[in-house]
Amino acid sequence: MKDSILNPAVDYPLLNMFWIMLMILLWLLWFFLLFRIITLCRRSEAVRGVG
């Protein structure tokens, strides 16, 4: 009883699928943001660090 209160995704498979898709989307957005910041830092003259 206590486990079903703490984890409603066990009782609702569509909620579980939504949760997994949300986590995958957030993971992809995080990588997109990471690579975007890295490329912006590499293109910037002020942050490049080349003497």
Side-chain angles (χ1 to χ4, degrees), residues 2-51:
K2 191 173 186 179
D3 290 336
S4 65
I5 294 172
L6 293 176
N7 192 3
V10 172
D11 296 331
Y12 304 104
L14 288 177
L15 182 63
N16 190 17
M17 185 179 71
F18 172 74
W19 182 252
I20 290 171
M21 289 177 67
L22 181 67
M23 288 294 117
I24 291 171
L25 177 69
L26 289 175
W27 185 73
L28 289 173
L29 287 175
W30 184 81
F31 271 111
F32 175 76
L33 184 64
L34 180 72
F35 289 128
R36 182 84 168 165
I37 291 172
I38 289 172
T39 56
L40 285 174
C41 286
R42 292 189 63 155
R43 288 183 183 173
S44 176
E45 293 288 333
V47 189
R48 187 171 287 182
V50 177

